[in-house]
């Protein structure tokens, strides 16, 4: 297989479909917190704004400026993020990191949609972009905890 064929496989129809359908992109009027994360390798950025009540995300918005893989990751996260706790997001982030970096298992439900990104394991320069949304969400949670 050539590198070009591998890249075509990586950007499958499902990944491109996800990249074009990122949920929760409308800005929040009065977010409790916002956090931005940037991948220094590729320049992708994700800014997350959210409101948390009783330790759970009740409102969420994401501004995603990333490659198709980062966008697909944001779509997968955005589809399931409401109602989750910091601990649940941390577990998902750790599992996604393991899936990408050390051939770990697919993240557990509700983040099992990350399975579509298994082909990205071979592209280490894309891993940070894929992790950005969860990293930004954790950073936002951490700001809330610092302010408490």
């Amino acid at each position: 297989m050539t590198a070009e064929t591998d890249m075509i496989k990586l950007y499958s129809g499902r990944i491109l479909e996800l990249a074009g359908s990122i949920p929760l992109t409308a800005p929040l009027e009065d977010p409790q917190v916002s956090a931005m994360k940037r991948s220094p390798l590729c320049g992708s950025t994700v800014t997350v704004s959210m409101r948390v009540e009783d330790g759970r995300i009740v409102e969420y918005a994401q501004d995603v400026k990333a490659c198709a893989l980062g966008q697909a990751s944001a779509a997968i996260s955005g589809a399931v993020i409401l109602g989750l706790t910091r601990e649940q997001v941390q577990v998902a982030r750790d599992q996604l990191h393991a899936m990408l970096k050390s051939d770990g298992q697919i993240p557990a439900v509700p983040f099992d949609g990350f399975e579509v990104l298994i082909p990205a394991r071979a592209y280490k320069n894309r891993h940070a972009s894929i992790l950005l949304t969860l990293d930004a969400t954790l950073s936002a949670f951490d700001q809330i905890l610092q302010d408490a």
Side-chain angles (χ1 to χ4, degrees):
M1 267 193 181
T2 67
E4 185 176 327
T5 303
D6 287 346
M7 285 301 281
I8 290 168
K9 249 176 84 176
L10 178 61
Y11 289 99
S12 70
R14 180 68 181 132
I15 287 174
L16 295 176
E17 179 184 317
L18 285 165
S21 62
I22 301 170
L24 305 174
T25 58
L28 298 183
E29 283 189 32
D30 186 26
Q32 181 179 6
V33 66
S34 292
M36 189 271 289
K37 287 291 182 178
R38 179 181 179 276
S39 169
L41 195 56
C42 67
S44 293
T45 62
V46 172
T47 302
V48 165
S49 299
M50 60 189 207
R51 294 193 65 68
V52 173
E53 291 178 9
D54 298 323
R56 295 187 178 277
I57 299 170
V58 294
E59 290 183 76
Y60 188 89
Q62 54 187 346
D63 181 21
V64 182
K65 307 281 191 264
C67 65
L69 297 173
Q71 292 174 27
S73 178
I76 293 162
S77 296
V80 300
I81 204 79
L82 292 175
L84 298 183
T85 65
R86 188 198 186 287
E87 292 73 25
Q88 289 171 304
V89 175
Q90 183 69 59
V91 167
R93 194 263 180 222
D94 293 346
Q95 290 174 340
L96 179 58
H97 183 270
M99 181 189 93
L100 293 170
K101 302 277 188 190
S102 57
D103 293 330
Q105 293 184 5
I106 298 159
V109 172
F111 290 97
D112 52 328
F114 282 120
E115 177 179 19
V116 72
L117 295 170
I118 286 175
R121 286 176 171 161
Y123 299 91
K124 295 181 186 328
N125 61 333
R126 301 286 191 230
H127 294 179
S129 181
I130 292 168
L131 293 164
L132 278 179
T133 298
L134 295 176
D135 286 340
T137 303
L138 290 170
S139 181
F141 263 119
D142 291 344
Q143 287 181 44
I144 290 171
L145 293 172
Q146 288 175 356
D147 293 344

